Amino acid sequence: MKIEALDYYAKKFQRLRVDRAHGVAPHKPILLLSVIEHIQRRIITKNQIYLESKLIQTFLKYWSYLGSLNHRPDISRPFFHMRSGKFWHFWANSSYEHLISSGVKLKTFAEVNRAIRYAYLDEDLFEFLCQPDIRGSLTAVLISRWFPGQYALIEEISQTDRFREPPAYLPEDFSEFYRPQ
């Protein structure tokens, strides 16, 4: 096992750059939990993370339990800004390669969806997340840093498709993805 690489990603999960203007914005940690669940459930089997309905629904599910009332549950911004962590990368749609590499910030779901075909992780990180024991360790690091004391709740959330309540300030772009149970 590549201990140095595992330690590197554990630190990256602990040091995610999040918006703190109105309290800690949990978008990136929730997006990572969503991706991890999709890898665990084998919805994601290749290192390609598409901004599609299943991922959006999973993100909104976690948000309904763990999200902040001070922030909007918009997946497009963390999907785009996760690249600041240096382990999340993009495969651009045709004719958008220059835009993605230029440093322009994409702000809306439509912009992100138009420019990015899919995101992908560093190969080492993806391989780690495909291994149950290592995935569990990295998930524990993520939870202990961003959602302390919530491990049992997050384990429960990962085993269900149920939403708790409609996420506060649900952007209109995402209302079609919210499915209360």
Side-chain angles (χ1 to χ4, degrees), residues 121-136:
L121 304 170
D122 287 351
E123 199 57 44
D124 281 345
L125 178 57
F126 183 73
E127 287 176 21
F128 286 149
L129 293 175
C130 288
Q131 299 174 41
D133 291 346
I134 298 174
R135 179 176 59 238

Side-chain angles (χ1 to χ4, degrees), residues 23-35:
V24 173
H27 298 80
K28 287 180 182 177
I30 289 175
L31 176 56
L32 282 174
L33 288 172
S34 301
V35 168

Side-chain angles (χ1 to χ4, degrees), residues 103-168:
V104 169
K105 292 183 179 177
L106 305 179
K107 296 181 180 174
T108 68
F109 179 76
E111 290 173 343
V112 171
N113 220 16
R114 188 171 31 253
I116 299 169
R117 182 161 182 222
Y118 58 83
Y120 62 95
L121 304 170
D122 287 351
E123 199 57 44
D124 281 345
L125 178 57
F126 183 73
E127 287 176 21
F128 286 149
L129 293 175
C130 288
Q131 299 174 41
D133 291 346
I134 298 174
R135 179 176 59 238
S137 296
L138 286 170
T139 302
V141 166
L142 187 66
I143 293 169
S144 67
R145 169 61 179 97
W146 299 103
F147 308 104
Q150 306 266 356
Y151 192 86
L153 173 62
I154 292 171
E155 180 67 24
E156 217 175 282
I157 296 167
S158 75
Q159 302 300 315
T160 185
D161 290 325
R162 299 169 89 196
F163 287 75
R164 186 166 71 181
E165 295 291 328

Side-chain angles (χ1 to χ4, degrees), residues 55-71:
L55 184 63
I56 294 167
Q57 288 168 346
T58 303
F59 178 86
L60 291 173
K61 174 188 72 169
Y62 278 96
W63 190 277
S64 76
Y65 292 89
L66 304 168
S68 162
L69 294 176
N70 296 328
H71 300 93

